[in-house]
Structures are given as structure tokens and as C-alpha cells.
Amino acid sequence: DTHVKLSNLLPNTEYQLNFVYTTANDSDYFGQFKLTTKKPVYEISVEKVSTYDKYLEYKVVLQDDFNINSLSVSLLFDGYNIETEKNQRVPIVDSFEITENDLHLGYVKRTISLKKYKIKADAVLLLTVDSVESPYGHIDIGSTTSFRIGRDL
């Protein structure tokens, strides 16, 4: 009975495993296997948009079997980055640490203030889980949801 345990594998990576073994009658055998690890998936959704208080509440569902330390989310509209007072186009970015309570709940709810921005009622907004930091390092994610507010902000 032989067991093999692999650890510290990187997500979204292909590995090739080569095995050479000898049987009881001294015959050598060679085995080759390909193994691909999965990239974590995070669902993001808009929970609430307040046009009065000008904020957006969103929820990210965490993956049960994948530990992360932090998460980065960005908000853009009409396919372009939000324009700032200095005429630069940058996204609204919300980066934060994941707590034990978040892991226990299996999701994170966060709020982004929209008070500094003028967003038209017909603008399409994109909310994206850009990346996560895990014990394995930085992982780009790219899960996106799009929506319209329906009123000028």
C-alpha cells in the first residue's frame, strides 16, 4: 500500500507527475500523470444601492476550501474608470483583510461610498473581484457583475 501526498501546490497550475516503481519480481514500471489545480471562484453581487446616501453595498461569497488573507474589489462604470478631480481615470478600489468571522460566515459584505462621483442613471457599472492574496501568493480572479443604478447620483 503506497500513498502519495502533495502539498503547497499553486492554484490554476498544471503539474506532471512521473513515477518509477519496481514490482516484487524486479520489473520496472513507469507511470506519468498530469494534474491541474483549480483557480478559486468568487461570486460577487450588489446587495443595495442607496441613491439618497450615495453608497453601494456588495457581497462576495468566499470559497469554502480555499483560505485567503485579503481580497481586492474594483468598481468601474460604462467600461471606463471613474474620473477623478485631477482628470485621471482610476477605479474605486476596495482592498481588505479577511477575518475569521468572514471565513465562518462564508461571505463578506462591504460598502463603497459614491458621494464623490457623478454617475448617470443609464451608466453601466461593473463590480469586479480583481484578486486575492492567499498563503500561496497573489491570484488574479476577475469575477464580475454589471448593473445600472437607474437614477443620477
Side-chain angles (χ1 to χ4, degrees):
D1 188 25
T2 302
H3 292 78
V4 175
K5 181 178 180 181
L6 304 173
S7 58
N8 298 323
L9 299 177
L10 299 174
N12 202 32
T13 304
E14 183 178 288
Y15 294 91
Q16 183 170 315
L17 307 174
N18 297 312
F19 295 96
V20 178
Y21 52 95
T22 304
T23 63
N25 62 1
D26 291 332
S27 297
D28 287 340
Y29 289 95
F30 179 75
Q32 190 174 55
F33 304 94
K34 283 191 179 177
L35 158 66
T36 303
T37 55
K38 293 182 181 179
K39 180 178 178 178
V41 177
Y42 296 92
E43 294 177 28
I44 189 164
S45 60
V46 176
E47 294 289 297
K48 181 178 182 180
V49 176
S50 172
T51 54
Y52 179 76
D53 292 323
K54 296 187 177 183
Y55 71 85
L56 163 81
E57 182 179 278
Y58 67 90
K59 177 180 177 181
V60 178
V61 178
L62 303 176
Q63 194 166 323
D64 287 341
D65 55 351
F66 195 82
N67 287 331
I68 59 173
N69 305 325
S70 64
L71 193 118
S72 182
V73 170
S74 64
L75 176 66
L76 303 116
F77 70 93
D78 276 349
Y80 298 98
N81 297 338
I82 307 264
E83 192 165 327
T84 64
E85 298 133 8
K86 297 179 183 177
N87 259 353
Q88 297 172 321
R89 293 192 178 275
V90 296
I92 297 174
V93 176
D94 188 22
S95 295
F96 52 91
E97 300 292 315
I98 300 297
T99 67
E100 286 295 322
N101 189 50
D102 298 332
L103 293 172
H104 176 72
L105 290 172
Y107 65 87
V108 179
K109 282 191 179 183
R110 300 277 295 185
T111 302
I112 297 176
S113 173
L114 303 174
K115 290 180 181 179
K116 295 192 285 183
Y117 308 100
K118 291 184 180 180
I119 301 174
K120 300 278 185 196
D122 62 345
V124 176
L125 286 84
L126 298 174
L127 191 59
T128 303
V129 178
D130 293 316
S131 62
V132 296
E133 293 295 330
S134 76
Y136 311 103
H138 179 90
I139 304 168
D140 291 326
I141 301 298
S143 300
T144 300
T145 187
S146 61
F147 61 98
R148 293 179 198 265
I149 292 177
R151 289 185 162 169
D152 287 349
L153 286 185

